[in-house]
Amino acid sequence: MPNSVAQNDKEKRKQISVRGIALVENVATVKKTFNRHLHFTLVKDRNVATPRDYYFALAHTVRDHLVSRWIRTQQHYYDKDPKRVYYLSLEYYVGRSLTNTMVNLGIQSEVDEALYQIGLDIEDLEELEQDAGLGNGGLGRLAACFLDSMASLGLAAYGYGLRYDYGIFTQTIKNGWQVEEPDDWLRFGNPWEKSRPEYTLPVQFYGRTIREGGITKWVDSQIIFAMPYDSPVPGYGNNAVNTMRLWSAKAPTSFNLSFFNDGDYIQAVCDRNSAENITRVLYPNDNVTEGKDLRLKQEYFLCAATLQDIIRRFKASKFGCREAVRHDFSHLPDKVAIQLNDTHPALAIPELMRILIDLEGLTWEQAWKITTQTCAYTNHTLLPEALERWPVDRFGVILPRHLEIIYEINFRHLKEVEAKYPGDMDRIRRMSLIEEDGGKRINMGFLCVVGSHAVNGVAKIHSDLLKVTLFKDFYEMTPEKFQNKTNGITPRRWLLLCNPSLSDAIVDKIGNDWISDLSKLRQLEQFINNENFVRSIYKVKQENKMKLAQYIEQHYHVKIDPGAMFDMQVKRIHEYKRQLLNVLHVITLYNRIRRNPNHKCTPRVVMIGGKAAPGYHMAKKIIKLISNVAAVINNDPIVKDRLKLIFLENYRVSLAEKIIPAADLSEQISLAGTEASGTGNMKFMLNGALTVGTLDGANVEMAEEVGMENIFIFGMTVDEVEALRQKGYNPREFYEKNAELKLALDQIQGGFYSPEDPNLFHDIVDVLINKGDHYMLLADYESFVKAQEKIDHLFNNPMEWTKMAIKNIAASGKFSSDRTIAQYCKDIWNVEPSLSKLPAPFEGRPGTANEGEVEQTKPTKK
């Protein structure tokens, strides 16, 4: 035991280079503040405090360092009155905030040392923080990375979303099946948020519209209140702290009087719950939510509350007084940029029109010009079924005024189409925002394109495909609207925070400028043949793998060899992401070992993780198959340590931070033309994993950056996929002609992996062989297996493998979300990033004599 403590101390000391040296007076301040919070905030002493109390005391201590910076940042924005950026997203997959806040504020070493002196282990406390799981996957995590970059670039930016009581479900695996349990992330409270009941706003639903004196009024509606909760978003090392504002639904305080008169007071109180259900739970489906009233209400609730807030802030003067002093809405696009993260916030477009016309008295033409110049839309998917469509009849009941506005937008839009393409009735039908076939539905993607001045995809191939598939007609009509903004990830969380040993090794060679300018990683290329550097990177990877092996043994009770290749595929479970192709390869490796038990093969640990949408039968069946195959392989005495398969339960941001630094191989194997971008691919690359992937999403640009010889590309291209579809794809042909593929599928079909129910996986095999294999796994199988053989060969030469890993790290600079946001600034939002630091808030710092005092030269509003 003393040995492990010493090792732990050594590890901690080793990390000081990135974090800086802890100053004695700062350590004393942290200890004092920590003890004060334990006493005054948590009302505990050391005799009765639980580990969670210590976590909360620590979180409040760290938050204290944010508060003055937060207030001053908002003061600074009111003072300078810059153009503000509003990012609207129904998902923010933030994860944990404690370590990220310490990293961005540069106080990690002080806090670490203070807790060490108190006798607490900071890592143990960090593990107690609940993930803020307010997202399904990539789209929500991207929004969180973007907020980090916007703050780090000094933008006056705000993230607007919903404060779900329950985030993405907690996934447990019982008997091989996914079971969903509610994610009650707020059970113990959230120390990072501040409720703002004074900014509560009304949101209307239902009712009807009337015309009075030439003005349309929305009357007899049901009111639900939106109460904001603000969370700080600290920039990296620039003293800027932006705001993420999440709305929570609150029932009106006045009761339904008919209930009251009937004396049914209890029922009236109980009915308040249904109003507050709007922000009860995050929708766990990644696409098909068609016809779900609650989802529509969530989307409108976000847009209505946010736009009221935006207009209030626009109208208030730059001197921060409460009276509205700005009334000329023609300047709105000069002061406000609204970015719609996918189609979920599409209702911001008709809602802004409603505000400008019905409430502010502008003409349609004025309002439309302002709306389109203010709004911009990011598309995240090429799958047509994932474009939201709302049935007109339900939409009209819930949002009667917005239906009228959308009809008018469509009427005027189709007049423009007809003017440009006279007589082309088919094109007019295709471009209508209202789809007529099979019941009238509003196509929200089309609404976003028509109502925005810029439309962007999230990787070059995705943006190019949008122009020839989903939005072909719109691109032909207004090509100037369409752009590409390749996604990125924040290097603070995805390298500095999650992989401190690698960060140290990099800082040792090129300094720390890369933390805020990731392109500087290119400087590592000069050290590729420096044997000491290569060995240090190899050693970091081995240490990370040993740490993960311990975690896996502790949590999954499977012993794995840290010397084996760690082969990872972590993402939502979806047929297009082709986890099944990965499983077929694992089964092939297993069959080779069984056929030739003495053959020397490269040991592998394959880890697959991700959640399946609760209503997605096939995805859940795939999880069961992975679990069953794992049970057979991991318990086969012939295999020993040569092959292991592990399903990583409840994949989430905090788990990603543990496993990504330990990965050798990253699987990015979607069918070409289906993945918009992907960001997991970038995280693995930045942490020194090699990639096996198709030419899909951002993989294409990763290959451009690192060179085709340093990435394992396999499978058909987008053009080859299309050509095979045109020719007529017959998966059975591939099944018949490849013996290893046939054996793997026959085993699944015959119940080899499900002896308790031989028919269990029939539908999986049926989809692949008899029902068209929509995502063409069988066509890409042979190429995939060959690529994996090349990977095996290289892995047996650790120095060459590590050199290639360094080349990947050095080439990952393009994939910083700082670069992505800088491009949004220049091409879409028309704002300037600021690299200058805000003044440090030395006055009023926690633990000093004038604590909490801030020179408030003027009233401020957030």
Side-chain angles (χ1 to χ4, degrees), residues 568 571 666-670 680-681 684 691-694 699 714:
M568 298 190 183
K571 46 189 79 239
S666 156
E667 303 258 357
Q668 309 297 333
I669 57 178
S670 52
N681 44 7
F684 281 109
T691 302
V692 57
T694 50
N699 297 355
F714 76 94

Side-chain angles (χ1 to χ4, degrees), residues 359-650:
L359 307 183
E360 300 295 340
L362 273 65
T363 66
W364 180 279
E365 289 72 20
Q366 291 168 324
W368 186 244
K369 186 179 179 195
I370 292 164
T371 298
T372 51
Q373 286 177 351
T374 304
C375 295
Y377 161 55
T378 301
N379 173 276
H380 283 276
T381 180
L382 286 159
L383 305 178
E385 68 271 18
L387 269 194
E388 290 187 295
R389 296 168 171 83
W390 291 109
V392 165
D393 51 355
R394 287 307 301 153
F395 190 98
V397 170
I398 296 168
L399 300 171
R401 178 60 180 137
H402 296 77
L403 184 60
E404 293 174 359
I405 290 169
I406 289 170
Y407 271 140
E408 183 67 19
I409 291 171
N410 195 39
F411 173 71
R412 291 169 182 251
H413 156 64
L414 291 181
K415 276 207 327 202
E416 285 178 23
V417 176
E418 193 172 16
K420 186 155 187 179
Y421 305 100
D424 190 342
M425 297 313 291
D426 200 43
R427 183 181 292 263
I428 290 169
R429 181 188 57 75
R430 288 197 311 266
M431 291 183 75
S432 173
L433 308 187
I434 314 292
E435 297 177 353
E436 303 278 351
D437 47 320
K440 285 190 176 183
R441 298 178 305 174
I442 305 164
N443 184 316
M444 302 308 272
F446 289 3
L447 174 64
C448 287
V449 173
V450 171
S452 300
H453 69 277
V455 176
N456 71 281
V458 288
K460 188 173 182 306
I461 184 174
H462 169 232
S463 299
D464 289 344
L465 286 169
L466 281 178
K467 297 171 187 175
V468 294
T469 57
L470 226 46
F471 299 139
K472 180 174 186 287
D473 294 320
F474 293 88
Y475 173 67
E476 287 169 3
M477 186 164 163
T478 52
E480 67 284 353
K481 274 189 185 185
F482 287 79
Q483 305 186 12
N484 173 54
K485 296 286 168 280
T486 298
N487 281 343
I489 57 173
T490 168
R492 271 76 60 183
R493 185 178 290 266
W494 295 114
L495 180 47
L496 190 57
L497 180 159
C498 74
N499 202 342
S501 312
L502 180 58
S503 302
D504 276 353
I506 294 170
V507 167
D508 201 38
K509 280 286 178 271
I510 64 171
N512 60 11
D513 287 354
W514 58 269
I515 299 168
S516 42
D517 178 4
L518 204 59
S519 63
K520 293 270 200 308
L521 288 180
R522 280 281 179 200
Q523 295 169 16
L524 292 174
E525 288 176 345
Q526 62 193 298
F527 302 106
I528 280 168
N529 294 313
N530 176 326
E531 192 176 330
N532 285 342
F533 180 62
V534 176
R535 284 191 188 284
S536 73
I537 297 298
Y538 176 76
K539 183 165 173 276
V540 164
K541 183 63 80 178
Q542 288 310 113
E543 285 171 359
N544 288 337
K545 288 172 72 175
M546 283 163 74
K547 210 169 161 186
L548 181 62
Q550 282 177 343
Y551 179 88
I552 294 227
E553 188 172 356
Q554 190 185 339
H555 289 83
Y556 299 93
H557 312 296
V558 179
K559 202 170 175 57
I560 59 175
D561 171 14
M565 183 197 306
F566 283 12
D567 169 353
M568 298 190 183
Q569 186 180 23
V570 284
K571 46 189 79 239
R572 287 185 293 114
I573 308 293
H574 196 294
E575 285 163 281
Y576 89 81
K577 294 181 184 282
R578 300 206 293 191
Q579 283 92 353
L580 264 178
L581 180 58
N582 196 351
V583 175
L584 289 173
H585 174 245
V586 172
I587 292 174
T588 301
L589 291 179
Y590 175 54
N591 287 332
R592 285 177 180 180
I593 293 171
R594 289 174 72 231
R595 192 168 60 241
N596 191 350
N598 300 319
H599 177 67
K600 189 177 182 312
C601 67
T602 307
R604 254 186 214 244
V605 179
V606 180
M607 303 181 207
I608 302 176
K611 295 178 181 178
Y616 191 170
H617 166 78
M618 182 54 80
K620 293 175 98 166
K621 189 64 77 76
I622 290 168
I623 291 176
K624 174 64 174 164
L625 175 65
I626 296 166
S627 303
N628 280 25
V629 172
V632 170
I633 293 174
N634 299 349
N635 294 303
D636 189 328
I638 296 172
V639 176
K640 300 194 179 71
D641 272 351
R642 288 179 286 182
L643 182 62
K644 289 274 188 270
L645 174 59
I646 293 166
F647 186 82
L648 297 166
E649 186 177 77
N650 200 33

Side-chain angles (χ1 to χ4, degrees), residues 179-230:
V179 177
E180 302 87 21
E181 292 174 351
D183 167 37
D184 191 2
W185 72 291
L186 293 168
R187 183 188 321 123
F188 300 106
N190 174 8
W192 304 104
E193 68 183 8
K194 175 72 187 82
S195 63
R196 301 278 183 201
E198 67 276 21
Y199 289 115
T200 297
L201 297 167
V203 175
Q204 294 174 267
F205 293 99
Y206 301 108
R208 58 195 176 87
T209 60
I210 56 171
R211 292 284 290 175
E212 248 178 38
I215 296 170
T216 302
K217 291 187 175 173
W218 184 4
V219 297
D220 298 339
S221 57
Q222 177 189 329
I223 302 285
I224 294 175
F225 286 106
M227 180 163 139
Y229 285 76
D230 290 351

Side-chain angles (χ1 to χ4, degrees), residues 562-824:
M565 183 197 306
F566 283 12
D567 169 353
M568 298 190 183
Q569 186 180 23
V570 284
K571 46 189 79 239
R572 287 185 293 114
I573 308 293
H574 196 294
E575 285 163 281
Y576 89 81
K577 294 181 184 282
R578 300 206 293 191
Q579 283 92 353
L580 264 178
L581 180 58
N582 196 351
V583 175
L584 289 173
H585 174 245
V586 172
I587 292 174
T588 301
L589 291 179
Y590 175 54
N591 287 332
R592 285 177 180 180
I593 293 171
R594 289 174 72 231
R595 192 168 60 241
N596 191 350
N598 300 319
H599 177 67
K600 189 177 182 312
C601 67
T602 307
R604 254 186 214 244
V605 179
V606 180
M607 303 181 207
I608 302 176
K611 295 178 181 178
Y616 191 170
H617 166 78
M618 182 54 80
K620 293 175 98 166
K621 189 64 77 76
I622 290 168
I623 291 176
K624 174 64 174 164
L625 175 65
I626 296 166
S627 303
N628 280 25
V629 172
V632 170
I633 293 174
N634 299 349
N635 294 303
D636 189 328
I638 296 172
V639 176
K640 300 194 179 71
D641 272 351
R642 288 179 286 182
L643 182 62
K644 289 274 188 270
L645 174 59
I646 293 166
F647 186 82
L648 297 166
E649 186 177 77
N650 200 33
Y651 182 61
R652 58 200 183 283
V653 175
S654 57
L655 185 55
E657 291 164 11
K658 289 184 179 69
I659 66 171
I660 288 171
D664 291 307
L665 184 66
S666 156
E667 303 258 357
Q668 309 297 333
I669 57 178
S670 52
L671 176 67
T674 58
E675 185 71 86
S677 163
T679 48
N681 44 7
M682 302 166 187
K683 290 160 197 160
F684 281 109
M685 181 187 192
L686 181 61
N687 282 276
L690 303 188
T691 302
V692 57
T694 50
L695 283 173
D696 197 22
N699 297 355
V700 178
E701 289 157 82
M702 284 163 54
E704 282 169 10
E705 291 297 302
V706 77
M708 287 293 276
E709 68 282 7
N710 297 307
I711 185 170
F712 299 97
I713 296 295
F714 76 94
M716 296 178 286
T717 63
V718 169
D719 291 343
E720 287 165 349
V721 168
E722 191 49 40
L724 183 55
R725 280 207 205 286
Q726 292 301 323
K727 185 182 122 195
Y729 170 50
N730 179 5
R732 186 169 280 281
E733 278 175 30
F734 291 87
Y735 163 76
E736 299 287 1
K737 75 177 186 199
N738 187 308
E740 288 192 309
L741 173 61
K742 186 172 189 304
L743 174 61
L745 287 168
D746 287 351
Q747 285 175 332
I748 297 170
Q749 170 85 8
F752 183 82
Y753 298 104
S754 55
E756 76 286 357
D757 178 2
N759 300 324
L760 184 60
F761 300 121
H762 276 196
D763 46 354
I764 290 182
V765 178
D766 198 36
V767 160
L768 295 181
I769 299 176
N770 303 319
K771 291 191 175 159
D773 180 20
H774 185 67
Y775 296 106
M776 298 186 163
L777 282 74
L778 306 197
D780 273 350
Y781 167 85
E782 191 176 339
S783 168
F784 183 52
V785 171
K786 282 190 174 140
Q788 294 284 7
E789 286 164 3
K790 275 166 59 184
I791 290 163
D792 278 343
H793 181 70
L794 182 68
F795 189 75
N796 291 322
N797 185 338
M799 291 305 277
E800 286 308 306
W801 180 280
T802 306
K803 283 181 185 179
M804 196 182 281
I806 293 167
K807 288 176 187 170
N808 273 267
I809 297 168
S812 58
K814 173 180 179 176
F815 303 108
S816 167
S817 47
D818 297 348
R819 185 262 322 147
T820 312
I821 290 297
Q823 290 180 338
Y824 275 97

Side-chain angles (χ1 to χ4, degrees), residues 2 47 90 166 220 260 280 287 296 320 375 483 519 670-671 807 837 861:
N47 297 316
L90 224 53
Y166 296 90
D220 298 339
F260 205 71
R280 194 74 71 209
N287 46 42
L296 179 61
C375 295
Q483 305 186 12
S519 63
S670 52
L671 176 67
K807 288 176 187 170
K837 274 173 97 163
K861 299 203 305 301

